[in-house]
C-alpha cells in the first residue's frame, strides 16, 4: 500500500533535532512501516508517521559510544541507554509544545510491554499507537543489518515479535506489512547496542 502524507508544519527546532538523531534511517524505517500498518489498526497515518519518526529522539542524550558498543553494557550503561524514551519526551515537548498527546505517549512508552516488564514505568496497559511503534521498532531493527549482527529474515523476526508482550493483532499487522517492505541492506551502528552476551547480542530489548 502506498500512502501520500501531508505533514504539518513542524517547529524548526524539532526538525533540527530529527536531522541530528543518531540513526535517522531507523527512524524513517519505523515511521514508514508503522504508517503502512495504520489503516488496518484504525490509526491516523500522519500521527503514526510522526510518532515513528520521533520515537528514538532521546538517543541524542545517550553517549554515542554506548549506542555503537559491540560488547555487553554494564548496568549503569544500560540504565543510561534505557533513559532515552524519557529524554525523548522531554526533547519533543520542548521543541514542539503543541505536540499531540498520542505522539508523546508513543515516544515515552514504546519500550513498555503488556506484561509490565518494559520501561520506563512498567506499564501493563498501552494504546494501540504506542504498541505499534514498539513492534515496528523491533521489526525494523531485526530486519536490517547492524554493525554487530546481520539482518534476520521475516520468519525469524516473526518469532521474536510473537514472543513480545504486545497485542497479537498489532504484531500480526506489523509482520504482514513488514513482509511487503525492504530489509537487509541498510546498515547502521547508531541505533542499538547489545545488552548481554557477545557482539551479536539481541538488541531488541533496548
Amino acid at each position: 500500500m502506498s500512502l501520500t502524507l501531508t505533514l504539518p508544519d513542524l517547529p524548526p527546532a524539532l526538525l533540527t533535532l530529527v536531522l541530528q538523531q543518531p540513526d535517522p534511517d531507523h527512524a524513517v524505517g519505523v515511521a514508514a512501516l508503522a504508517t503502512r500498518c495504520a489503516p488496518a489498526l484504525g490509526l491516523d497515518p500522519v500521527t503514526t508517521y510522526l510518532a515513528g519518526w520521533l520515537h528514538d529522539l532521546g538517543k541524542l542524550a545517550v553517549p554515542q559510544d554506548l549506542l555503537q558498543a559491540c560488547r555487553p553494557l554494564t548496568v549503569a550503561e544500560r540504565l543510561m541507554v534505557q533513559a532515552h524514551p524519557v529524554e525523548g519526551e522531554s526533547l519533543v515537548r520542548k521543541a514542539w509544545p503543541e505536540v499531540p498527546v498520542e505522539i508523546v505517549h508513543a515516544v515515552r512508552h514504546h519500550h513498555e510491554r503488556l506484561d509490565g516488564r518494559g520501561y520506563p514505568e512498567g506499564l501493563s496497559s498501552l494504546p494501540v499507537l504506542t504498541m505499534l511503534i514498539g513492534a515496528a521498532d523491533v521489526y525494523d531493527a531485526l530486519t536490517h543489518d547492524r554493525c554487530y549482527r546481520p539482518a534476520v529474515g521475516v520468519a525469524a523476526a516473526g518469532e521474536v515479535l510473537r514472543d513480545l508482550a504486545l497485542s497479537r493483532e498489532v504484531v500480526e499487522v506489523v509482520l504482514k506489512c513488514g513482509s511487503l517492505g525492504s530489509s537487509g541492506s541498510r546498515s547502521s551502528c547508531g541505533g542499538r547496542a547489545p545488552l548481554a552476551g557477545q557482539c551479536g547480542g539481541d538488541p531488541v530489548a533496548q
Side-chain angles (χ1 to χ4, degrees), residues 6-107:
T6 300
L7 299 181
D9 290 331
L10 299 174
L14 182 66
L15 293 174
T16 297
L17 292 173
V18 169
L19 294 174
Q20 292 174 344
Q21 60 182 321
D23 196 351
D25 288 340
H26 173 64
V28 171
V30 171
L33 173 56
T35 303
R36 292 199 300 272
C37 298
L41 296 169
L43 297 172
D44 175 67
V46 171
T47 300
T48 300
Y49 186 91
L50 291 171
W53 202 28
L54 301 175
H55 81 282
D56 265 351
L57 207 62
K59 286 187 175 177
L60 283 166
V62 179
Q64 296 307 292
D65 62 320
L66 295 187
L67 297 179
Q68 299 177 23
C70 192
R71 59 172 176 78
L73 300 183
T74 67
V75 173
E77 289 172 337
R78 185 181 308 174
L79 291 175
M80 291 178 68
V81 173
Q82 291 183 342
H84 79 268
V86 176
E87 295 288 350
E89 178 196 16
S90 177
L91 288 171
V92 171
R93 285 188 182 276
K94 288 178 182 177
W96 188 12
E98 300 82 16
V99 58
V101 295
E102 303 96 325
I103 294 176
V104 170
H105 195 283
V107 170

Side-chain angles (χ1 to χ4, degrees), residues 116-135:
R117 299 177 65 181
Y119 65 89
E121 295 175 15
L123 301 182
S124 57
S125 178
L126 299 168
V128 173
L129 177 60
T130 298
M131 289 191 287
L132 173 57
I133 299 306

Side-chain angles (χ1 to χ4, degrees), residues 138 142 148-149 160 192-206:
V138 173
L142 287 172
Y148 43 82
R149 60 143 181 83
V160 174
R192 305 245 174 339
L195 299 186
Q198 302 179 9
C199 183
D202 185 356
V204 299
Q206 187 170 305

